[in-house]
Amino acid sequence: MSLLHDPHHDGSPLFVSDEAPALGARVTVRVRTSATDPVEAVWLRTTYDAEPVFHPTTPTTIGDAVWWEGELPVHNPVTHYRFLLVRDGGEEQEWLTGAGVVAHDVPDADDFRLAAHPPAPDWGRDGVVYQVFPDRFARSAAAEEREVPDWALPADWDDEVVFEGSDPRTPMQLFGGDLDGITEHLDHLAEVGADILYTTPVFPGESNHRYNATTFTEVDPLLGGSEAYARLSAAVHERGWRILGDLTTNHTGDTHEWFLCAVDDPRDPHRSFYYFSDDGTYADWMGHGTLPKINHANLDVRHAMVEGPDSVVGRWLQQPYAVDGWRIDVANMTGRLGDIDVAHEVARAVRATAAALHDDPWVIGEHNHDATGDVDGDGWHGTMNYSGFSWPVWSWLRDPASPARPFGRPVPVPRRGGGAVVETFRAWQGALGWRATASSWNILGSHDSARIRTLVGGDAAVHRVAAGLQFTMPGVPMVFAGDEIGLEGVNGEDARRPMPWHRREEWDRQTLTTYADLARLRREHPALRRGGLRWAHVDDDTIAYLREHPDQTVLVVARRAAGSAFTLPTGAGRHLFGSEPGGADLVTGPDGAEVPAAAGPRLDVWEI
């Protein structure tokens, strides 16, 4: 039986009348059940100051669906709710939560939630993010004349990347990409379909990744300095695009000006910016002494880094740099050490500072595991969604023979069938909440992980299926520069290979076209940007879902291998996109729309 018969609710406009209500408002919420499902009543359960309260709903039958409608009072800044489905005079009861339908009582962790805090900006929700690692993207002519610092090992653009963590050369290998080089290649971002540029850190740091900042007051001269950053920002904004900075709030480098003052004089005020013990040792990031951890329990460092217009967060939001928001590195650990936890205060401060200086800023926190509780409030708008998107996609599409290394676990993600993957998607959407999921980044990889092309064993068709999922599932696609042309990498450092601008004959042009087509498709169809998500059909090698919006309904069918035809209880469909040649409109038979068989991996999109 099609999954479309299952009871359904999500946070999209078809099911929630206002995704960002004012505190004290009443919001109309709806549940859809099948007319063939003998549901007798649906109760809306919410928590009023953490006390469960039940509200009735009213059914209306429209065609083959029953819509149950109720009023949800927004009493708390984040209002939790779920639905109780009753059949057989109450003898059969099920809960409908953000993670799906369950026939037993469950904790509130997966409840739907509605936040009264302002949502992420429309330009973020509707955009396509393009990530650039500045040292490896492009060199301007000026880069040739810059003196290489003592810490760096200069490399030619075609040199092999040193990427083993045990090799001390890995963070020191400098290819010399700079910010004017990015400015000179913005036409490529336009070709991909991106309209939001996100660069990894641009502050000086004695490494190629620059996450070990020596100061936050200027841009690295190796990248062209602060003037080059201002030029890049101006060029991005002239196109009507946005630019995001990358800030490490969890730590600095051990050569940072604050830290050097703290080490030199135990009485220096900067000493309290870090966690020093009486014997002179200090807390750091995961055992790396070059990355001393910042003490956000100290109000002076918080003022210097995240609070107010003169803070690091505030300064770069203002002219002439005018970043439109921040991606916060190691957001999950920021403000947390042992029994100290001021992470939420730091997140609120970053967002409040950004909102005071920018009409509609976007603030994304890096989490590579569970961001539950850190999003959907008044802090981070969303997260880099590794757990809720990357890992399930990897586990569905991974080639067992791939040399791609795991990220965040001791063994590779297991190869799983479609059913387990859909359950993973359900679980994380339930845990994060609809609005946070829709505001988070769908990433197939980043500068910290293996490349998607390597993970799928070099299979371009499977790579294009992954890209199709990235652009058609709830969330904002973030493309790591080079994915669109088929670059490879077995781990994060190897994934940072320079863009081969002078070897365009090696580019995977079909995949580049696919990315561009997907970006255009997403931009043209509101269901792919703002629609709900209703699972339609799943087997080991096939995942199908509807994206539903008041203006349109779109069907997506993804296949990791050849598969047989199947029927869905929908109307006919106009073919909008196919990741491989072929594809035709859906026609209807006696049982609904007939989705055709596929000869191999592909992803197709139809407007129903």
Side-chain angles (χ1 to χ4, degrees):
M1 180 179 291
S2 167
L3 299 178
L4 294 175
H5 294 292
D6 292 349
H8 182 75
H9 172 85
D10 60 46
S12 69
L14 271 181
F15 296 91
V16 175
S17 63
D18 186 352
E19 70 160 20
L23 197 62
R26 299 182 71 85
V27 175
T28 300
V29 295
R30 307 167 80 203
V31 170
R32 174 181 175 141
T33 63
S34 170
T36 61
D37 186 344
V39 175
E40 297 168 354
V42 173
W43 289 88
L44 167 64
R45 196 208 78 167
T46 184
T47 49
Y48 186 98
D49 296 336
E51 179 70 17
V53 178
F54 286 83
H55 303 275
T57 68
T58 302
T60 302
T61 300
I62 303 175
D64 61 354
V66 181
W67 292 87
W68 305 80
E69 188 171 293
E71 293 296 313
L72 175 66
V74 182
H75 177 70
N76 300 109
V78 178
T79 297
H80 291 247
Y81 65 100
R82 63 168 73 178
F83 299 94
L84 179 64
L85 281 61
V86 179
R87 302 179 184 88
D88 192 20
E91 291 300 312
E92 181 183 344
Q93 299 180 19
E94 292 179 324
W95 292 110
L96 173 59
T97 74
V101 177
V102 291
H104 58 277
D105 291 347
V106 292
D108 292 356
D110 292 334
D111 277 5
F112 301 106
R113 57 188 65 96
L114 198 59
H117 303 291
D122 287 344
W123 63 263
R125 290 272 299 273
D126 295 337
V128 174
V129 181
Y130 191 85
Q131 181 195 9
V132 168
F133 189 83
D135 183 56
R136 311 291 165 84
F137 188 68
R139 291 168 61 103
S140 71
E144 305 297 333
E145 302 173 5
R146 295 190 184 110
E147 185 176 346
V148 176
D150 293 340
W151 61 262
L153 299 173
D156 292 329
W157 206 249
D158 286 330
D159 284 355
E160 186 175 344
V161 171
V162 178
F163 62 86
E164 295 293 355
S166 59
D167 192 323
R169 299 173 299 166
T170 296
M172 308 304 178
Q173 191 180 30
L174 191 73
F175 284 82
D178 63 1
L179 297 175
D180 285 326
I182 300 173
T183 302
E184 292 166 2
H185 287 83
L186 290 180
D187 283 348
H188 178 73
L189 277 66
E191 183 179 2
V192 175
D195 55 5
I196 302 169
L197 171 64
Y198 151 55
T199 72
T200 54
V202 297
F203 303 116
E206 295 185 349
S207 67
N208 51 41
H209 55 72
R210 298 182 172 87
Y211 283 102
N212 55 338
T214 62
T215 183
F216 295 123
T217 61
E218 64 176 350
V219 170
D220 195 337
L222 288 172
L223 294 175
S226 300
E227 296 81 4
Y229 197 48
R231 287 193 294 272
L232 174 60
S233 177
V236 166
H237 289 126
E238 284 172 7
R239 292 172 179 258
W241 299 353
R242 307 288 182 140
I243 184 170
L244 297 175
D246 192 338
L247 178 63
T248 302
T249 52
N250 180 71
H251 54 262
T252 66
D254 63 346
T255 54
H256 193 282
E257 54 196 0
W258 296 344
F259 189 73
L260 294 179
C261 291
V263 169
D264 288 346
D265 183 359
R267 295 166 300 179
D268 188 279
H270 293 95
R271 188 86 166 186
S272 61
F273 281 25
Y274 300 90
Y275 296 95
F276 277 94
S277 299
D278 292 341
D279 61 0
T281 59
Y282 54 89
D284 56 39
W285 181 73
M286 302 298 289
H288 294 275
T290 58
L291 302 174
K293 187 174 176 69
I294 294 172
N295 175 19
H296 283 281
N298 178 271
L299 298 184
D300 288 334
V301 73
R302 210 184 293 181
H303 181 73
M305 177 158 274
V306 300
E307 292 181 345
D310 297 326
S311 66
V312 178
V313 167
R315 172 180 177 169
W316 298 92
L317 283 157
Q318 301 173 65
Q319 294 291 346
Y321 316 109
V323 299
D324 296 289
W326 291 100
R327 177 264 194 188
I328 301 297
D329 181 58
V330 199
N332 55 313
M333 298 184 75
T334 292
R336 289 174 170 142
L337 181 68
D339 61 348
I340 299 171
D341 189 346
V342 293
H344 289 280
E345 296 176 33
V346 177
R348 291 188 191 103
V350 172
R351 184 159 161 187
T353 297
L357 295 168
H358 196 292
D359 289 339
D360 51 358
W362 200 20
V363 182
I364 294 292
E366 182 204 17
H367 287 255
N368 68 9
H369 56 298
D370 188 356
T372 301
D374 283 352
V375 292
D376 234 11
D378 53 357
W380 320 126
H381 287 113
T383 181
M384 297 181 75
N385 200 2
Y386 289 105
S387 293
F389 182 81
S390 309
W391 306 154
V393 171
W394 278 28
S395 66
W396 193 47
L397 299 179
R398 183 178 71 87
D399 181 346
S402 169
R405 300 181 188 177
F407 177 43
R409 65 175 72 198
V411 293
V413 295
R415 183 173 167 88
R416 293 184 169 125
V421 169
V422 165
E423 289 307 308
T424 307
F425 283 133
R426 286 189 199 268
W428 283 101
Q429 288 165 7
L432 294 176
W434 177 260
R435 199 170 81 176
T437 298
S439 302
S440 294
W441 289 356
N442 290 346
I443 50 180
L444 297 175
S446 72
H447 68 290
D448 282 329
S449 76
R451 290 271 186 181
I452 185 63
R453 179 62 71 94
T454 302
L455 185 99
V456 300
D459 190 321
V462 177
H463 176 184
R464 290 189 283 271
V465 172
L469 293 169
Q470 181 180 32
F471 280 78
T472 62
M473 287 193 66
V476 180
M478 189 218 77
V479 179
F480 180 33
D483 274 356
E484 72 277 11
I485 60 172
L487 287 192
E488 298 213 31
V490 302
N491 67 359
E493 286 76 11
D494 189 32
R496 304 170 190 177
R497 300 179 189 183
M499 282 286 286
W501 299 109
H502 59 299
R503 301 197 311 275
R504 293 176 186 255
E505 71 280 359
E506 299 176 5
W507 291 15
D508 180 351
R509 290 282 179 180
Q510 183 179 347
T511 297
L512 174 57
T513 299
T514 297
Y515 274 81
D517 288 345
L518 284 165
R520 183 173 58 254
L521 187 77
R522 185 176 184 273
R523 190 164 286 115
E524 292 174 351
H525 295 279
L528 294 177
R529 291 180 282 110
R530 297 305 181 97
L533 175 68
R534 196 151 61 101
W535 301 107
H537 172 91
V538 177
D539 60 42
D540 276 353
D541 296 328
T542 306
I543 296 176
Y545 47 92
L546 292 180
R547 299 298 309 278
E548 297 173 305
H549 185 270
D551 294 338
Q552 68 173 166
T553 296
V554 168
L555 169 67
V556 181
V557 177
R559 299 182 185 267
R560 70 177 181 183
S564 58
F566 59 91
T567 300
L568 292 175
T570 68
R574 178 171 64 94
H575 192 253
L576 300 176
F577 170 83
S579 63
E580 302 302 313
D585 292 347
L586 290 182
V587 297
T588 55
D591 297 319
E594 298 176 356
V595 178
R602 63 179 295 127
L603 181 140
D604 291 276
V605 181
W606 292 269
E607 183 173 18
I608 301 298

